[in-house]
Amino acid sequence: MTRWFKRLFFTVLVLVVGYVLVVQVLRWMAFGDEERDALAVMEVSPAAPEGEGGFKYLAYADLEVPDSELDAALAADVDAFADWHATAGERFATSGSVDVQPPPLPSASRYAPRATVAPPDVECGFRDGDCLSRLRGNEEAVRTWLDAESERLALAEQALAAGHFLNPYPHDVASPLANFRLLRMPLNDIALQALEGDVAGALPRACTLLADSRRHLRNDGMLIEKILTASLAEGAGGLLADLRALDPSLALPGECNAALEPVTVADYQVCGALRTEYAMMSELSRQTNAAMDGWRLPARWVLYSDKLQRAWTASSFAPMCTAEGQAAIARGEIPAIGVQDYDRTSIDFWAAPISHILASIASPAYGDYQKRLLDHAEALRGHLAAMNAEASREP
């Protein structure tokens, strides 16, 4: 009987060790040139943004944080969130879900909430092409709203004047976001200023808004930041053209020089934002891998591979960031996003089943985001062409 148990034990041991070794060979086969090239394309650190960060102005719009305390409040919140973020992989490995909310940040208990006033139904959105007509006849309601929200309006203008909106929190699906919706307030305020009779004063502000939104658009931030600043640039361009139509005799001020620069590929490339998306997903992969110790360690040997998970994720983004892909986007074409097909008979599946399943889950339509940026750029070109044509006719 003892001999039988020994044979059984060694047979099972040989099978387990053999299976683990076979999986390692399969992982070597699954990680090929395509995956290696995709990682090289996506794991590129963006250049450090220049100038003051505008994130803090949008992040604390709902709290009564004095300007002098914004930096300290943000630093304390980032530190607290970073401590929570450090355990994110362990929570994911335990619960199997990334939908875990962090505890309240220190600022939530330190500062009182700022009162909110609901905007009127006629408020202009980011890319409304008829802002003046939307507000016309409703000036009193819009003025009441903007006066009541003067503090948020000021914060939005401070944010736009800053150099960038870089989110200082660690990459995490639960990271706090800036309140980008506030950026519609200056658009409404400028349009209302013109409707109240001060077109000459509104014109340079509209140019500054367009120049600021285009500057932020060219930064490599988050995807939501990219799309909303592109929308704001389109809306500001349309408003600027409408202001010129209100009083064609007004000369374009110097603030318009930067605003009216020709549209370049930097105005509509989605690659930088996708690298931020990838960084968030790869960070979760690394933390999950690191959390697989103790009794979960065998899963890392045969079920989950951080290297393959990151490579397969990178492969889905890389077509937008390769030299060929960016050249296609410059021509107005949208590269096809890579898709990891779920196939239980594939080498990829048996190399890392859990990673293969996660990589095969349908991704958001990232190609649609690139198309939206191209559409925004085309609309902005139209506004700029009309403005430059008008400017060339000035004496």
Side-chain angles (χ1 to χ4, degrees):
M1 183 67 71
T2 303
R3 181 178 299 175
W4 185 86
F5 276 117
K6 286 183 178 179
R7 287 181 178 176
L8 178 61
F9 171 77
F10 283 111
T11 298
V12 172
L13 180 62
V14 169
L15 289 174
V16 170
V17 172
Y19 175 56
V20 172
L21 292 176
V22 168
V23 169
Q24 307 318 303
V25 173
L26 292 177
R27 291 184 175 184
W28 174 79
M29 297 172 64
F31 188 82
D33 290 340
E34 179 182 348
E35 288 75 18
R36 188 176 294 105
D37 291 344
L39 283 175
V41 168
M42 296 310 299
E43 293 192 338
V44 175
S45 299
E50 298 180 355
E52 179 194 22
F55 180 91
K56 60 188 176 185
Y57 299 113
L58 300 178
Y60 294 109
D62 293 333
L63 294 175
E64 294 285 357
V65 183
D67 277 3
S68 60
E69 297 181 23
L70 283 172
D71 289 324
L74 182 58
D77 284 352
V78 169
D79 287 345
F81 185 86
D83 290 341
W84 178 85
H85 168 77
T87 63
E90 177 68 25
R91 287 192 305 277
F92 176 63
T94 302
S95 66
S97 173
V98 297
D99 189 21
V100 179
Q101 295 303 308
L105 297 173
S107 59
S109 59
R110 181 174 181 180
Y111 299 102
R114 178 174 277 125
T116 300
V117 177
D121 293 337
V122 296
E123 69 159 325
C124 297
F126 284 97
R127 59 179 302 190
D128 281 328
D130 59 344
C131 190
L132 289 178
S133 61
R134 284 181 64 85
L135 301 190
R136 188 175 283 113
N138 298 283
E139 289 88 345
E140 183 176 352
V142 177
R143 175 53 63 200
T144 298
W145 165 55
L146 290 174
D147 285 348
E149 291 280 37
S150 59
E151 292 179 326
R152 285 189 174 87
L153 173 60
L155 288 170
E157 291 179 326
Q158 286 176 283
L160 284 165
H164 59 85
F165 294 139
L166 180 67
N167 190 324
Y169 287 92
H171 290 302
D172 193 295
V173 294
S175 293
L177 299 175
N179 186 355
F180 290 108
R181 183 167 169 75
L182 293 184
L183 299 181
R184 79 203 189 283
M185 285 186 169
L187 188 72
N188 283 268
D189 192 54
I190 295 167
L192 183 60
Q193 181 179 1
L195 290 175
E196 291 175 336
D198 186 12
V199 180
L203 192 61
R205 290 186 65 200
C207 284
T208 298
L209 177 62
L210 178 54
D212 286 344
S213 59
R214 293 185 67 187
R215 184 181 68 256
H216 287 293
L217 171 60
R218 292 167 182 153
N219 289 332
D220 289 331
M222 301 182 72
L223 192 56
I224 184 176
E225 172 189 333
K226 198 81 167 177
I227 295 299
L228 290 183
T229 51
S231 298
L232 182 59
E234 181 181 338
L239 176 60
L240 184 56
D242 287 346
L243 293 182
R244 288 287 287 164
L246 280 180
D247 191 349
S249 66
L250 290 174
L252 289 174
E255 289 87 346
C256 293
N257 293 336
L260 300 182
E261 290 178 354
V263 173
T264 69
V265 69
D267 287 295
Y268 54 83
Q269 280 279 9
V270 77
C271 174
L274 292 186
R275 282 193 170 119
T276 301
E277 291 282 313
Y278 166 77
M280 187 180 302
M281 299 167 98
S282 62
E283 173 64 13
L284 177 61
S285 177
R286 289 188 180 96
Q287 289 196 324
T288 302
N289 184 67
M292 288 184 179
D293 54 11
W295 65 271
R296 289 188 295 269
L297 185 59
R300 193 164 62 194
W301 290 344
V302 296
L303 299 178
Y304 185 87
S305 168
D306 167 54
K307 183 178 181 180
L308 285 174
Q309 180 70 45
R310 289 186 291 108
W312 291 334
T313 301
S315 295
S316 68
F317 290 121
M320 294 287 187
C321 291
T322 62
E324 297 80 6
Q326 293 195 4
I329 293 169
R331 297 192 301 268
E333 303 169 6
I334 301 175
I337 285 289
V339 177
Q340 181 77 13
D341 293 327
Y342 178 69
D343 181 4
R344 295 186 66 177
T345 65
S346 67
I347 290 176
D348 288 352
F349 177 85
W350 290 104
I354 292 178
S355 298
H356 179 72
I357 292 171
L358 291 175
S360 302
I361 295 174
S363 300
Y366 291 111
D368 289 349
Y369 290 112
Q370 180 61 79
K371 183 179 185 303
R372 288 174 63 181
L373 288 174
L374 286 169
D375 290 343
H376 288 309
E378 189 60 30
L380 182 57
R381 282 193 186 97
H383 295 317
L384 297 183
M387 292 295 300
N388 285 319
E390 185 68 29
S392 66
R393 289 194 293 267
E394 293 178 359

